[in-house]
Amino acid sequence: MTTHSQMLKGILEGCILSLMEHREVYGYELGTLLEDSGLTFVSEGSIYPLLLRMQKEQLIEGTIRPAPGAGGPPRKYYNLTDKGRNILKQFKEHWGTLKDSVDHILARGGQ
Amino acid sequence: MMNTKQMIKENNRLQDAMKPDNLSYYQDMVVYIRSSSVQESKGEELLLEIAQHLLDAQAKGKTAEEVFGSDPESYCKELVEQLPKMKGLNRLQYHLMIPWIALTWFFFVQALVGFITTWTGGPVERMTQVRISTLVLIAGGSYVLIHALMRWMKNDTFQPDEARRKINVRSMGIYMAITVLILIAGVWLGRLLPVLTIAPWISLVLFLVGIAGTKFLFSSK
């Protein structure tokens, strides 16, 4: 795997954790949220291998149950685990530092 | 929380709502994932999730190929890699199931033939003899043949019809070679292992134990 796609994967994982921070999300919804945020490099289907890996690493957990409200089809809703929350916290710190450094360099340009 | 049986039922219900192209794409995924040795409940959970996603996307006018890519086989491989593997008892069940069922029905036939021979006054002695090698052969043979068949179906899943025919010819060859090997092994074993005499009623008991065991050990919870 290239460094570039590895980096994107890490960022994507951070974004997914963040989208689940305050409420539970299901797969299709997650895809829509990512797309609406402009993360169009993510193909819809590619979130599932990632979600499986994140479950294996116990960052998130999912339960299948009927949608809230009457008559909704059963869906798998994802939540953060405590470990997931910690990783999200780390991601936010790392991202903050990285973003500041890169912005700094870009702002100076070639000077 | 749904159990595996409920998930499969819901899965079938969702398939009814899929358009033909999406359905055929999805069913290939189902075959691939169900024939992999992953934890059954986790596999079904994923299939249900994907079916629901596909229906949501279908409602927006998208096709399965647009959602999950034009290479379903490598996509499924990726999914299976991330799914928890079958382990311990489940793994044992997975390997034990086919020989168990094959032997169960073998004893049914034994019992039936035994009783009929008794009633009609035939050569009971000869008809109730069972070579141990026959039992080994049935257990081993059924296992190898069914697993070969499953692998064949799995490899076949994502191929277009043209390629499918080619693979079928090759698979048939492999399949027949395996059958011949099993038969040779059987003849060779037959000389080494003793012969048992199993009374028809014992065969019947073994069959009933086999059936009870099938229900108890292998039915989805």
Side-chain angles (χ1 to χ4, degrees):
Chain A
M1 190 181 297
T2 63
T3 319
H4 180 68
S5 68
Q6 238 167 0
M7 189 178 81
L8 287 183
K9 221 169 209 177
I11 294 172
L12 183 57
E13 188 182 294
C15 293
I16 290 177
L17 289 172
S18 175
L19 288 169
M20 290 173 186
E21 190 179 5
H22 299 297
R23 67 186 184 92
E24 41 182 29
V25 182
Y26 60 88
Y28 181 77
E29 193 185 11
L30 189 63
T32 318
L33 289 171
L34 289 169
E35 206 182 312
D36 290 350
S37 322
L39 288 183
T40 43
F41 67 88
V42 189
S43 68
E44 272 182 70
S46 64
I47 58 172
Y48 288 102
L50 194 58
L51 287 174
L52 287 173
R53 189 168 57 75
M54 289 167 75
Q55 286 172 85
K56 206 152 71 173
E57 289 169 1
Q58 297 177 331
L59 305 181
I60 57 173
E61 52 195 8
T63 25
I64 292 207
R65 51 186 173 70
R75 291 181 192 279
K76 189 166 177 183
Y77 290 90
Y78 292 97
N79 275 306
L80 292 191
T81 61
D82 288 342
K83 190 176 167 195
R85 279 181 204 288
N86 282 333
I87 298 286
L88 176 59
K89 205 171 136 234
Q90 279 175 30
F91 174 75
K92 283 179 176 170
E93 287 165 15
H94 291 163
W95 178 253
T97 323
L98 182 71
K99 186 173 173 293
D100 286 348
S101 320
V102 174
D103 281 349
H104 186 68
I105 291 171
L106 294 181
R108 278 196 310 181
Q111 297 157 27
Chain B
M1 203 64 184
M2 297 169 91
N3 64 31
T4 305
K5 233 179 205 163
Q6 289 169 322
M7 282 194 277
I8 293 175
K9 207 169 149 199
E10 175 70 12
N11 192 320
N12 292 337
R13 202 181 61 82
L14 294 179
Q15 288 188 35
D16 289 341
M18 289 179 194
K19 288 182 184 162
D21 281 355
N22 290 342
L23 182 63
S24 116
Y25 188 108
Y26 178 73
Q27 282 177 337
D28 279 353
M29 294 181 76
V30 172
V31 170
Y32 192 96
I33 288 172
R34 284 195 185 147
S35 60
S36 304
S37 60
V38 296
Q39 274 178 38
E40 193 188 18
S41 61
K42 296 293 171 197
E44 288 306 320
E45 234 177 76
L46 178 69
L47 284 172
L48 192 58
E49 199 178 14
I50 282 177
Q52 192 60 61
H53 189 123
L54 185 52
L55 285 181
D56 286 334
Q58 182 177 283
K60 294 254 153 60
K62 285 189 191 162
T63 65
E65 211 174 295
E66 283 168 330
V67 178
F68 302 110
S70 54
D71 185 358
E73 188 171 6
S74 57
Y75 182 62
C76 283
K77 243 182 213 157
E78 215 180 321
L79 290 172
V80 166
E81 258 166 44
Q82 297 299 337
L83 276 169
K85 298 281 161 296
M86 217 184 260
K87 59 186 172 197
L89 199 59
N90 285 327
R91 204 166 185 102
L92 189 70
Q93 282 176 357
Y94 176 78
H95 291 298
L96 205 63
M97 182 164 78
I98 290 156
W100 183 285
I101 292 173
L103 287 174
T104 297
W105 288 97
F106 170 77
F107 283 116
F108 173 73
V109 174
Q110 271 302 117
L112 200 67
V113 169
F115 281 126
I116 291 175
T117 320
T118 310
W119 291 327
T120 55
V124 182
E125 185 69 16
R126 193 158 61 82
M127 298 308 279
T128 54
Q129 279 183 348
V130 178
R131 287 174 186 277
I132 291 187
S133 62
T134 309
L135 299 181
V136 173
L137 208 63
I138 289 173
S142 63
Y143 179 87
V144 172
L145 288 183
I146 299 288
H147 280 270
L149 201 64
M150 270 165 63
R151 171 156 303 200
W152 174 17
M153 274 169 56
K154 192 171 163 185
N155 289 343
D156 202 53
T157 307
F158 299 106
Q159 304 297 330
D161 288 345
E162 187 66 13
R164 205 166 271 204
R165 215 167 304 132
K166 248 184 241 163
I167 290 179
N168 281 358
V169 172
R170 207 187 61 192
S171 306
M172 278 301 265
I174 296 173
Y175 200 63
M176 275 157 69
I178 292 173
T179 313
V180 169
L181 277 178
I182 289 171
L183 288 175
I184 292 172
V187 171
W188 177 72
L189 270 175
R191 297 199 186 123
L192 295 178
L193 296 173
V195 179
L196 305 174
T197 302
I198 300 178
W201 68 271
I202 293 182
S203 289
L204 185 65
V205 168
L206 287 172
F207 166 68
L208 293 175
V209 168
I211 288 289
T214 308
K215 283 254 165 354
F216 179 69
L217 289 172
F218 308 121
S219 60
S220 298
K221 273 145 232 112

